[in-house]
Amino acid sequence: SAKRLGRNHSQRFRPALDKQDNPQLALVSDLRAALISGDQLELHFQTQNEPSSGEIVGMEALLRWRHPQDGMISPGDFIPLAERHGLMTQLGAWVIEKACAQQSHWRNSAMPKLTIWVNISALQLFQGDLESQLASCLKRYQLTPSQIGLELTESVLLDERAGEMRPRLQGLRDQGFAIAIDDFGTGYSSLGYLKRLPVDKIKLDRAFIKELPHDQADAAIVKAVLAMAKGMGLEVIAEGVETKEQCQFLIDAGCKSVQGFYFSRPLPAVELEKRLVPEPLTHPAAP
Ligand code: C2E
Ligand code: MG
Ligand code: MG
Ligand code: MG
């Protein structure tokens, strides 16, 4: 009512969120609408590969927002916005639902059987009911936890609430989900926390891969992380592998999986299917 809007009745005649006045809030309101309609959001998939054979060993689901006016908006831009404005739990739930639906679709197709890794925001771990949400999705799509992996960024694990995090992660792991630390090496971490956290995999941040093989410090860091992870029984995946030289360095250093543009960019599900499943024969083969 006019009363609720206060004394300035003219507010009633202005658009609620004017793009020019506050582009951030306008974007939040657009995102809210996108979540309701669902048809501007997409999941893309990037393969994870064994570096020497190129064999695909997994894939990561990456969220995309196709804004009707502004075009593709990077998750790096809208995820922090969703987190700040109370939309992350809902957005995260959408991602989990879509990833499970896709996995279920692929399970009954000629697609190779691979774990889909999903990015999880800290807020989903703290605010949402992540465990029951995952359980409900697995049940509805008849999936097992081994078909979905969970990626958490390193900064999450360094949060002051990291103590609360441990039992939560342990719970998810007990359910059978594999857990990866994303962007490893970018936080202000002491390595001690690695020992305490129930994780399976380290995703070595792209920052350490970028200048390989020339940068001596990066080369040393990558080798050291690989050696440490081996000693701790953790898997390592190198992110952002773009060149043959980077890939060769990682093979020589004993890295068993890589992700990056060198093997594939993130692709819509149908594009990935076209690449991974050979064309069906259009004419029956001669007897
Ligand atoms: P991330 O989880 O570390 O994902 C990897 C990012 O690196 C992706 O960016 C991917 O497109 C990009 N990338 C992959 N290979 C290469 C490469 O060879 N070179 C370069 N330069 N980049 C490469 P994207 O898709 O823009 O996502 C950015 C970040 O947004 C993700 O980083 C993740 O933290 C977040 N994000 C994406 N989808 C979701 C989601 O569904 N939920 C949550 N909570 N966060 C998400
Ligand atoms: Mg990730
Ligand atoms: Mg990452
Ligand atoms: Mg990253």
Side-chain angles (χ1 to χ4, degrees), residues 208-223 241-253:
F208 301 107
I209 309 303
K210 218 173 160 207
E211 309 293 333
L212 290 181
H214 314 289
D215 190 291
Q216 300 247 320
D218 287 336
I221 290 168
V222 169
K223 285 182 185 167
V241 177
E242 295 183 352
T243 70
K244 193 177 180 195
E245 291 70 31
Q246 291 167 346
C247 197
Q248 190 57 53
F249 176 92
L250 290 160
I251 293 169
D252 295 341

Side-chain angles (χ1 to χ4, degrees), residues 122 126 152-163 165 181-194 196-197:
F126 287 123
L152 286 136
T153 62
E154 188 184 59
S155 57
V156 169
L157 305 170
L158 300 173
D159 193 278
E160 66 254 26
R161 294 166 297 182
M165 189 76 78
I181 302 182
D182 210 344
D183 308 330
F184 181 78
T186 55
Y188 307 92
S189 49
S190 89
L191 292 174
Y193 80 97
L194 255 191
R196 300 189 305 270
L197 285 170

Side-chain angles (χ1 to χ4, degrees), residues 89-265:
T89 316
Q90 207 187 336
L91 194 57
W94 187 92
V95 170
I96 290 168
E97 180 80 29
K98 267 287 179 301
C100 289
Q102 193 62 61
Q103 189 63 295
S104 151
H105 175 71
W106 279 337
R107 198 185 53 149
N108 302 310
S109 77
M111 279 286 278
K113 306 296 172 256
L114 301 162
T115 299
I116 294 180
W117 291 83
V118 175
N119 292 287
I120 301 291
S121 156
L123 295 182
Q124 288 172 270
L125 214 55
F126 287 123
Q127 298 172 351
D129 194 358
L130 187 59
E131 279 163 58
S132 62
Q133 196 182 96
L134 283 163
S136 144
C137 271
L138 292 185
K139 197 173 172 201
R140 273 182 290 117
Y141 292 103
Q142 295 183 286
L143 301 171
T144 62
S146 66
Q147 291 169 293
I148 301 289
L150 308 175
E151 296 192 1
L152 286 136
T153 62
E154 188 184 59
S155 57
V156 169
L157 305 170
L158 300 173
D159 193 278
E160 66 254 26
R161 294 166 297 182
E164 297 168 43
M165 189 76 78
R166 199 184 184 291
R168 290 230 154 184
L169 288 180
Q170 190 61 57
L172 290 165
R173 220 160 161 238
D174 292 344
Q175 271 182 271
F177 296 100
I179 295 168
I181 302 182
D182 210 344
D183 308 330
F184 181 78
T186 55
Y188 307 92
S189 49
S190 89
L191 292 174
Y193 80 97
L194 255 191
K195 187 176 149 186
R196 300 189 305 270
L197 285 170
V199 299
D200 304 275
K201 192 186 267 198
I202 287 171
K203 297 195 78 176
L204 192 50
D205 194 76
R206 159 159 80 86
F208 301 107
I209 309 303
K210 218 173 160 207
E211 309 293 333
L212 290 181
H214 314 289
D215 190 291
Q216 300 247 320
D218 287 336
I221 290 168
V222 169
K223 285 182 185 167
V225 170
L226 283 163
M228 178 188 71
K230 192 175 180 186
M232 296 175 70
L234 295 171
E235 289 176 49
V236 176
I237 177 163
E239 298 192 84
V241 177
E242 295 183 352
T243 70
K244 193 177 180 195
E245 291 70 31
Q246 291 167 346
C247 197
Q248 190 57 53
F249 176 92
L250 290 160
I251 293 169
D252 295 341
C255 184
K256 296 291 190 290
S257 60
V258 301
Q259 184 180 334
F261 299 165
Y262 180 62
F263 283 107
S264 176
R265 287 182 176 265

Side-chain angles (χ1 to χ4, degrees), residues 19 21-29 77 81 84-85:
K19 266 211 161 136
D21 285 359
N22 195 333
Q24 291 257 304
L25 279 186
L27 209 56
V28 171
S29 127
D77 292 330
L81 214 57
R84 274 203 303 278
H85 294 272

